[in-house]
Structure formats: structure tokens, C-alpha cells
């Protein structure tokens, strides 16, 4: 008997365990689950957040933001080809751009945090000028063999001492640059995104526990409903589904926001993370402010003192202010009975196949007006936005407020009666006239008809916008575990006629060995307009990665193309060694030595630059360059970091005036 009892109990335990697993981890017993739980589960599936959310997966996500863990060497060739109106860029400048190439090579050493960069400008494959930059600790080094035989070292820790020794006024901009350099070195700014996104495993799990089921935790169960055996159309196919709905009134939204704010106030993990990320931004503030202040007059007039500390009390005060402002606007949210209804239709496999947002008069309204739908089927996703219904909602709200009618696509406010008459007139536009306009825009691509074609296209767009009722986005694709390829078509529907407005052919790859993002945009209404983009990295599973980047845009006769190809190899570095034989420590020099250094640089420039500048059609004589040699001693206000060495480059090739 005892044995029989044990067997029965064992069977019951196994059965109970099986049912428990089926209940919590499958959809077998959905009919027994609360409607709120079912909707929440379907929402997670719809958003793709139902997948495995282990911390190890999050760590893999973080790795892509960690840029300075490994040493590397890299190179890239960058070129442009433009054909633009002379009013935008003159023809001579375009020729120079099209015949020029920028060659880059660089290296980073993870142990010493030293970085070197070589940037060379080439004209018709012939070197014009190569600038060498090296940064280690607080020393910035600059070299150019065409201007001086040695590299110039600027140890910014010695700058103020150098100025004091030589009776030179400390330049504030140079001092700010020094602080920026220190911040870059100390804070490792390349890892800013990593630091912002980083979560410890404990914090990650805590957030999932607190916010992983908000729809169930914060919204009353009476707002949810479930309807079985709902026959709907999904991308043209009839599908038998179960409808899971969430209905929210203005009052529900008000309560939801209040509950969420209260949840944040009680969650110590969230407040700790807010402070942590604030401190990350605070750490980088000097760098960010310095960069911004160089180009912004507003920033220069703004107090740039260090950001104050942030405490949990500060966060609580801010959240209290939000609650106060919410309370002040309570009537605007709660005075109306109108609701939004969110419905997810699930097939017999418990997979979402359609998502729908409807506007209801009140909670008793069963159907309402559909303003957004998303259809999901194998190889196709379709989004539909009802502009007509959105306008009706906005116009009603506007009429309730100030008796005016506002169109979603208009910047003007009109009298209600007039607006309605206009709307009626717009909606009565004949389909034949629209089709006629569309056809006229694509009749001929010859030079003689391009102007009229462009005008016709503009007219077609104007007609579509005036009588627009729906915007439709269709994504037809093929998909594997690590790739997706397809075509997105954006269409406009007006007066019963549908017109394709934009087409995007795309391909995305995210595998262990390759990351690729590419698309090609075309406009049926403007056949001469297109945009192509590609960013491709191969060799992700090896130490050497090859990179390709390209953007190509065309409009009528005009085009612009930017191309870059290169590679990066991790695990090694190539930082040049600077010695007393191949470099000069500028801040160890006297004023007289700086004067001589300047003279030597300008003298060599006068020997090398005239011939090189001639490659770009710039005529400069040796004498004109030599005139830049200062004929007086440096003044007290002269910045010794730039001892009038004004290094000619592509953007400022020649100094034709004597130094001050």
C-alpha cells in the first residue's frame, strides 16, 4: 500500500510539475491565464523581447562599444567624386576634390595608451602633404617632412612654465586645449558609450525584475479583454485568431504615469544607475564642453564650471515636480471619455499576426476608428496609418479647444466651416486626374522634358498630399538567423488611388564573421533621384577586419559620392619612437631657439611648397613664403605653441602675410 501511495504521489508531482511548466513557459493554458498576462506575453512577442534575456547576452551586446581594449593598426583610403551646380561648389574646386585622395594610417597601443595618426593628401596619386600626429600622456607631437626634418613635441604639462620662463602670456585657448587633452587621456573618452550602457549583472537582473512586467503591474486588469475566434485579414489572407486588447482612457493614462513615477521613486537600483550615468557624463563634461565651446558662441557665454553632484534627493525632487506638473494638467487628460484601444491578434500557434490601434468614443465603444495597423506574415510586414482618422481626431480636439480646425499636414489654422468645405472639396478630387498627373510625371526622361516632368511630379505630390487618406509601408523580405534582405515600399493613398512614393532595397547581415548594412533608395515620382549606402565589415572572427563604406546620391544631372576602404588589425601596434635625434621638445627651447625653429620651418616650406601647390593650380613663389618669417622677437602676447609656424595644409595652404 505504501508503495502504491508513493507511486501515486510521484505521478502527481510529475504531472503538477509538467502542468506548471506548461502554464508558465508555454501557451498551452492561455485560457486559464488572466487577460492582462496574455496581452503582456503577446506584446513581448510582438516587440521581440520574449527571447532569452540572460546577462551573458547583454555582455555580448556591450562588447561592440568597448573600443580601447586591444592595440591595433589600421589604414583607410578616402575619396570623393562630385558633380554639383556651380552655385553650390565651383567647377575648379570640384575638379580638385575629384582628383584628390586622403590616405590614413594609424595605430593605438593599449598598454601605453599612445596613439599615432598619419593623414596624407594625394593629388592624382601623387603625394601632396602628409601630416603625422602622435599623442602619448600629455604630449602632442606633430610632424611633416615637407616642412621640417624633425617631429615637434609639445608637452602640455610644461606649457605654463615655458611661458613664464620666456615672459609670454599664457593663451587661454591653448590652456583649454591642454585640459581637454588631459581629460581625453584620463577618461578614455573612446569608451563613453560603453560606460553609459554598462550594467552589472545584479543591476541588470534587478531592472528586469522591477520593469519586466509593467503592463500587468501598473494597469488594472479591467482594462484588458480577450476575444476568441476572431476572423481577420492579414496581408490579404483570412486568419482565425484570438484578440488580446488593452483599452486606456485619459484617466487610465494619468494613473499609469503616476504609478510609474512612484515605482521609480521606490526603486533604489534605478536611482543609483541614474547617478552613475550622470557621473559618467560629468567625467566627460570637460571634453565635451571644450569641443562644443570652440564652435558655439552660446557655450562661450555659458558658465562652464564643473557640474554639481547629483543625489537621490535631487532625483526625488525632480520626480515630485513631474507629479506636480501632471496634476496641473490632470483635467486635460481626464475630462474626455475617449480611449485608445491596443489589440494584438494571435494565431493558433500563439504568434502575433496583427497589431491594431483604434480610437474609441468611450469604453463602451466596441469598434471605434482604426488609426494604425501592423500585419505580420512570413516574409512580409505591412504598416498602415490612417491620416484621415488622425485628422478627424485632431480636428475634433481643436474644435473642442478653440473652435478651429487644424490639418495634420498644414501649418495654418482655419475656420471650422471653411475647413470642412475645403476637406470635402479635396476628397472629391477625381481618381482619373490623380492618375493622369502620375502618368505625366514619368512620360519622358529626355533633356527637353525634364523640367516639365519635374513640375508634373511636384504637382502629383501636391495632389496626393491634399487628398491624402492613408500612408502604407510594406516590407517584403527573406530572413535567416543572421541576415535579412528585402524591399520596403512607402505608398500614399488618396481618393481611392494608391501611389508608390519611395522604395528602399536593403540588406542587413549580423553574423560572427560579417556585419553589413546597406540600402538603395529610389523615388518613383522622381526617377532621376536615388541614394545608395553601404557599410560592410568582414573578418569579425579574425584579428584583421576589412571595412568598406560608401554613400552615393544622385538628383537629375547632379551627384555626390563618398568612398572609404580600409582595414584594421588587432593585437599589435606601430607607434613610432621619438628620440632627441628625430624630434624637438618645443617647450624646452628658449625664445631665440623658437625663433630659429620658425625660420627653419618657413625656409624649408619655401623650397618644397611652390611645386606641391602647383598640383592644385596655386601659384606661390618662394619669396612670398619667406615673407612669413618673423623679423622681430616674439611679443608678450604671442602664443609660443604656435610660433608662427602656420603649417600649410589643404585648407590653409599658404601664409602670405608676415607674422605679427
Amino acid at each position: 500500500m505504501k508503495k502504491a501511495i508513493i507511486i501515486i504521489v510521484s505521478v502527481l508531482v510529475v504531472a503538477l510539475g509538467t502542468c506548471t511548466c506548461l502554464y508558465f513557459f508555454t501557451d498551452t493554458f492561455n485560457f486559464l491565464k488572466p487577460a492582462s498576462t496574455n496581452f503582456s506575453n503577446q506584446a513581448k512577442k510582438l516587440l521581440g523581447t520574449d527571447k532569452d534575456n540572460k546577462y551573458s547576452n547583454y555582455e555580448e551586446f556591450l562588447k561592440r562599444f568597448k573600443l580601447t581594449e586591444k592595440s591595433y593598426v589600421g589604414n583607410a583610403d578616402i575619396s570623393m567624386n562630385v558633380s554639383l551646380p556651380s552655385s553650390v561648389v565651383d567647377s575648379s574646386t570640384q575638379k580638385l576634390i575629384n582628383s584628390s585622395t586622403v590616405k590614413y594610417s594609424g595605430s593605438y597601443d593599449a598598454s601605453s595608451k599612445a596613439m599615432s595618426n598619419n593623414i596624407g593628401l594625394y593629388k592624382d596619386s601623387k603625394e601632396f602633404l602628409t601630416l603625422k600626429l602622435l599623442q602619448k600622456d600629455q604630449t602632442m607631437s606633430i610632424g611633416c617632412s615637407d616642412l621640417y626634418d624633425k617631429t615637434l613635441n609639445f608637452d602640455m604639462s610644461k606649457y605654463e612654465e615655458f611661458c613664464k620662463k620666456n615672459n609670454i602670456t599664457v593663451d587661454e585657448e591653448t590652456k583649454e586645449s591642454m585640459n581637454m587633452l588631459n581629460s581625453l587621456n584620463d577618461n578614455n573618452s573612446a569608451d563613453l558609450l560603453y560606460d553609459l550602457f554598462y550594467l552589472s549583472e545584479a543591476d541588470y537582473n534587478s531592472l528586469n525584475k522591477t520593469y519586466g512586467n509593467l503592463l500587468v503591474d501598473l494597469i488594472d486588469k479591467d482594462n484588458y479583454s480577450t476575444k476568441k475566434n476572431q476572423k481577420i485579414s492579414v496581408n490579404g489572407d483570412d486568419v482565425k485568431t484570438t484578440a488580446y486588447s488593452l483599452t486606456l482612457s485619459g484617466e487610465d493614462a494619468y494613473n499609469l504615469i503616476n504609478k510609474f513615477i512612484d515605482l521609480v521613486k521606490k526603486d533604489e537600483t534605478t536611482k543609483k544607475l541614474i547617478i552613475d550615468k550622470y557621473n559618467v557624463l560629468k567625467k566627460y563634461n570637460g571634453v565635451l564642453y571644450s569641443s562644443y565651446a570652440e564652435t558655439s558662441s552660446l557655450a562661450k557665454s555659458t558658465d562652464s564650471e564643473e557640474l554639481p553632484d547629483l543625489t537621490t534627493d535631487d532625483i526625488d525632487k525632480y520626480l515630485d515636480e513631474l507629479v506636480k506638473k501632471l496634476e496641473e494638467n490632470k483635467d486635460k487628460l481626464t475630462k474626455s471619455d475617449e480611449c485608445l484601444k491596443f489589440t494584438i491578434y494571435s494565431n493558433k500557434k500563439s504568434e502575433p499576426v496583427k497589431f491594431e490601434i483604434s480610437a474609441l468614443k468611450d469604453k463602451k465603444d466596441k469598434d471605434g476608428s482604426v488609426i494604425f495597423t501592423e500585419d505580420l506574415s512570413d516574409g512580409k510586414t505591412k504598416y498602415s496609418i490612417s491620416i484621415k482618422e488622425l485628422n478627424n481626431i485632431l480636428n475634433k480636439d481643436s474644435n473642442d479647444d478653440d473652435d478651429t480646425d487644424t490639418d495634420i499636414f498644414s501649418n495654418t489654422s482655419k475656420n471650422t466651416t471653411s475647413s470642412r468645405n475645403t476637406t470635402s472639396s479635396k476628397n472629391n478630387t477625381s481618381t482619373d486626374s490623380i492618375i493622369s498627373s502620375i502618368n505625366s510625371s514619368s512620360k519622358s526622361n529626355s533633356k527637353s522634358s525634364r523640367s516639365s516632368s519635374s513640375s508634373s511630379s511636384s504637382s502629383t505630390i501636391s495632389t496626393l498630399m491634399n487628398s491624402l487618406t492613408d500612408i502604407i509601408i510594406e516590407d517584403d523580405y527573406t530572413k535567416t538567423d543572421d541576415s535579412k534582405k528585402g524591399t520596403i515600399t512607402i505608398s500614399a493613398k488618396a481618393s481611392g488611388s494608391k501611389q508608390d512614393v519611395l522604395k528602399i532595397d536593403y540588406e542587413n547581415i549580423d553574423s560572427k564573421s560579417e556585419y553589413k548594412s546597406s540600402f538603395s533608395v529610389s523615388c518613383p515620382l522622381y526617377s532621376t533621384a536615388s541614394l545608395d549606402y553601404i557599410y560592410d565589415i568582414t573578418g569579425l572572427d579574425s584579428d584583421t577586419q576589412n571595412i568598406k563604406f560608401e554613400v552615393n546620391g544622385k538628383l537629375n544631372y547632379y551627384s555626390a559620392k563618398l568612398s572609404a576602404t580600409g582595414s584594421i588589425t588587432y593585437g599589435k601596434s606601430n607607434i613610432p619612437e621619438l628620440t632627441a635625434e628625430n624630434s624637438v621638445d618645443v617647450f624646452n627651447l628658449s625664445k631665440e631657439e623658437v625663433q630659429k625653429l620658425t625660420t627653419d620651418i618657413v625656409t624649408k616650406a619655401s623650397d618644397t611648397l611652390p611645386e606641391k601647390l602647383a598640383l592644385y593650380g596655386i601659384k606661390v613663389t618662394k619669396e612670398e613664403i619667406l615673407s612669413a618669417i618673423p623679423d622681430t622677437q616674439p611679443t608678450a602676447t604671442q602664443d609660443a605653441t604656435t610660433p608662427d609656424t602656420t603649417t600649410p595644409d589643404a585648407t590653409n595652404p599658404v601664409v602670405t602675410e608676415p607674422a605679427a
Side-chain angles (χ1 to χ4, degrees):
M1 177 65 72
K2 288 184 178 180
K3 186 177 180 180
I5 293 174
I6 292 173
I7 292 173
I8 293 171
V9 171
S10 299
V11 170
L12 290 174
V13 169
V14 172
L16 181 62
T18 302
C19 291
T20 301
C21 291
L22 291 172
Y23 181 87
F24 286 105
F25 302 109
T26 74
D27 302 305
T28 305
F29 292 105
N30 270 352
F31 67 94
L32 294 176
K33 297 177 183 178
S36 57
T37 301
N38 285 330
F39 182 91
S40 178
N41 291 338
Q42 291 297 320
K44 291 177 181 178
K45 291 180 180 181
L46 185 70
L47 298 172
T49 58
D50 62 317
K51 304 295 189 294
D52 192 358
N53 59 353
K54 292 181 179 178
Y55 183 72
S56 58
N57 295 333
Y58 184 72
E59 284 184 307
E60 286 297 317
F61 165 77
L62 282 175
K63 285 182 179 179
R64 67 185 64 188
F65 299 107
K66 194 67 175 177
L67 302 179
T68 58
E69 280 187 337
K70 297 180 179 179
S71 300
Y72 65 80
V73 293
N75 64 85
D77 288 354
I78 305 168
S79 61
M80 285 192 69
N81 193 292
V82 297
S83 178
L84 301 172
S86 56
S87 58
V88 179
V89 181
D90 64 84
S91 57
S92 60
T93 302
Q94 291 187 52
K95 289 180 181 179
L96 292 177
I97 293 174
N98 296 341
S99 61
S100 299
T101 302
V102 175
K103 293 183 179 293
Y104 165 83
S105 63
S107 182
Y108 172 77
D109 185 78
S111 59
S112 64
K113 294 186 178 181
M115 180 176 290
S116 68
N117 297 284
N118 298 333
I119 304 171
L121 179 62
Y122 289 73
K123 172 75 164 57
D124 295 324
S125 301
K126 188 175 181 179
E127 183 186 13
F128 170 67
L129 206 67
T130 297
L131 189 64
K132 300 177 181 180
L133 304 173
L134 177 64
Q135 184 262 315
K136 183 179 181 181
D137 299 327
Q138 296 187 48
T139 300
M140 178 67 74
S141 303
I142 305 173
C144 180
S145 59
D146 290 312
L147 302 178
Y148 196 62
D149 295 332
K150 296 183 178 182
T151 300
L152 305 181
N153 301 326
F154 299 90
D155 185 350
M156 304 311 292
S157 65
K158 300 178 180 178
Y159 171 65
E160 292 191 61
E161 180 186 350
F162 170 81
C163 293
K164 184 178 180 181
K165 182 176 67 175
N166 293 285
N167 196 28
I168 299 173
T169 302
V170 175
D171 183 76
E172 290 301 321
E173 290 187 6
T174 302
K175 194 174 178 181
E176 195 66 38
S177 298
M178 177 180 68
N179 294 332
M180 178 180 174
L181 184 64
N182 290 335
S183 297
L184 283 167
N185 185 64
D186 295 339
N187 297 331
N188 208 1
S189 61
D191 291 332
L192 172 60
L193 288 177
Y194 177 86
D195 292 341
L196 286 174
F197 280 111
Y198 174 78
L199 295 173
S200 68
E201 186 171 5
D203 290 340
Y204 178 85
N205 292 331
S206 177
L207 292 178
N208 275 332
K209 183 179 179 181
T210 304
Y211 304 104
N213 211 21
L214 284 178
L215 293 177
V216 176
D217 295 339
L218 300 186
I219 301 175
D220 192 87
K221 62 181 180 180
D222 293 337
N223 292 83
Y224 297 91
S225 62
T226 301
K227 288 185 178 180
K228 295 183 177 182
N229 301 322
Q230 300 296 299
K231 193 175 182 179
I232 62 170
S233 177
V234 179
N235 288 327
D237 296 326
D238 292 335
V239 182
K240 188 177 180 181
T241 66
T242 300
Y244 304 97
S245 300
L246 166 63
T247 304
L248 293 176
S249 65
E251 186 175 1
D252 293 327
Y254 172 82
N255 293 331
L256 174 61
I257 298 171
N258 264 315
K259 288 179 181 179
F260 180 76
I261 293 174
D262 188 59
L263 180 64
V264 174
K265 286 185 68 175
K266 294 177 180 178
D267 185 34
E268 295 301 322
T269 299
T270 299
K271 289 192 282 189
K272 178 182 77 69
L273 286 172
I274 291 174
I275 294 173
D276 288 345
K277 304 314 171 185
Y278 174 87
N279 289 334
V280 170
L281 293 174
K282 180 182 176 182
K283 184 176 70 172
Y284 290 99
N285 179 59
V287 178
L288 298 174
Y289 179 83
S290 299
S291 301
Y292 177 59
E294 291 180 2
T295 56
S296 173
S297 58
L298 177 64
K300 292 178 182 178
S301 62
T302 305
D303 187 6
S304 62
E305 293 182 0
E306 186 178 357
L307 292 171
D309 292 333
L310 182 68
T311 66
T312 55
D313 288 340
D314 295 328
I315 297 174
D316 288 337
K317 288 179 182 178
Y318 178 74
L319 293 174
D320 289 338
E321 285 294 321
L322 286 180
V323 172
K324 185 179 179 181
K325 289 194 178 289
L326 188 65
E327 184 66 28
E328 292 173 355
N329 294 276
K330 182 179 180 180
D331 290 342
K332 293 181 180 179
L333 285 170
T334 61
K335 71 176 183 178
S336 176
D337 293 330
E338 293 179 342
C339 306
L340 282 179
K341 184 178 181 181
F342 306 88
T343 303
I344 302 173
Y345 295 90
S346 175
N347 62 14
K348 60 183 180 180
K349 296 180 180 179
S350 195
E351 297 171 341
V353 294
K354 195 182 190 75
F355 173 60
E356 196 173 80
I357 302 176
S358 304
L360 311 182
K361 296 178 182 178
D362 51 47
K363 288 190 175 182
K364 295 180 181 179
D365 187 1
K366 294 182 179 180
D367 299 319
S369 302
V370 178
I371 57 179
F372 174 83
T373 62
E374 177 186 4
D375 289 13
L376 301 102
S377 58
D378 291 338
K380 186 173 184 176
T381 303
K382 178 181 178 182
Y383 307 90
S384 299
I385 305 169
S386 177
I387 302 301
K388 181 181 179 181
E389 294 299 337
L390 284 174
N391 274 329
N392 289 338
I393 295 171
L394 293 177
N395 289 338
K396 185 180 184 306
D397 291 341
S398 179
N399 291 336
D400 291 341
D401 292 338
D402 55 13
D403 201 34
T404 60
D405 187 21
T406 305
D407 192 283
I408 193 172
F409 284 101
S410 176
N411 294 323
T412 61
S413 183
K414 298 159 285 189
N415 180 271
T416 304
T417 304
S418 173
S419 171
R420 286 172 179 171
N421 292 335
T422 303
T423 302
S424 176
S425 176
K426 291 174 181 177
N427 290 334
N428 287 330
T429 304
S430 70
T431 302
D432 290 341
S433 84
I434 296 175
I435 295 174
S436 177
S437 296
I438 294 170
N439 289 336
S440 67
S441 71
S442 57
K443 280 184 178 180
S444 176
N445 290 322
S446 65
K447 291 184 179 180
S448 61
S449 65
R450 286 191 180 183
S451 177
S452 62
S453 179
S454 176
S455 176
S456 181
S457 298
S458 300
S459 176
T460 301
I461 292 178
S462 178
T463 303
L464 285 169
M465 293 301 294
N466 287 337
S467 55
L468 184 64
T469 57
D470 300 274
I471 294 176
I472 303 162
I473 304 171
E474 296 174 276
D475 182 9
D476 292 280
Y477 61 88
T478 57
K479 189 176 182 181
T480 65
D481 290 340
D482 51 19
S483 68
K484 186 178 180 182
K485 184 177 183 180
T487 300
I488 296 174
T489 304
I490 302 174
S491 308
K493 193 174 182 180
S495 302
S497 176
K498 181 182 175 184
Q499 171 64 44
D500 293 342
V501 178
L502 212 63
K503 284 195 174 184
I504 306 170
D505 295 311
Y506 68 90
E507 182 180 13
N508 296 317
I509 298 174
D510 191 357
S511 67
K512 291 182 178 180
S513 62
E514 182 180 10
Y515 175 83
K516 180 179 181 180
S517 176
S518 67
F519 61 79
S520 180
V521 183
S522 61
C523 181
L525 296 179
Y526 285 103
S527 58
T528 58
S530 65
L531 176 66
D532 299 315
Y533 165 90
I534 183 171
Y535 177 61
D536 190 16
I537 306 176
T538 57
L540 294 175
D541 53 349
S542 66
D543 291 333
T544 299
Q545 300 171 9
N546 295 308
I547 303 169
K548 179 181 179 181
F549 174 80
E550 189 173 289
V551 179
N552 187 11
K554 295 180 180 179
L555 179 62
N556 295 329
Y557 302 108
Y558 312 116
S559 64
K561 181 179 180 180
L562 172 64
S563 301
T565 57
S567 66
I568 184 169
T569 301
Y570 291 97
K572 63 179 183 179
S573 62
N574 184 24
I575 307 295
E577 183 180 358
L578 298 180
T579 65
E581 286 73 30
N582 62 15
S583 65
V584 176
D585 292 325
V586 177
F587 291 153
N588 287 335
L589 303 179
S590 64
K591 277 197 299 185
E592 291 76 16
E593 290 171 324
V594 171
Q595 179 77 14
K596 184 178 182 305
L597 176 64
T598 303
T599 301
D600 292 343
I601 291 174
V602 177
T603 300
K604 185 165 185 179
S606 71
D607 292 330
T608 58
L609 287 185
E611 182 181 355
K612 288 181 175 291
L613 290 171
L615 293 172
Y616 282 91
I618 302 174
K619 296 181 180 180
V620 178
T621 65
K622 180 176 181 176
E623 289 71 23
E624 288 174 322
I625 297 176
L626 287 172
S627 67
I629 296 176
D631 53 9
T632 61
Q633 297 294 322
T635 64
T637 58
Q638 187 175 347
D639 181 10
T641 63
T642 55
D644 207 37
T645 62
T646 313
T647 305
D649 55 29
T651 59
N652 185 20
V654 182
V655 177
T656 57
E657 296 181 3

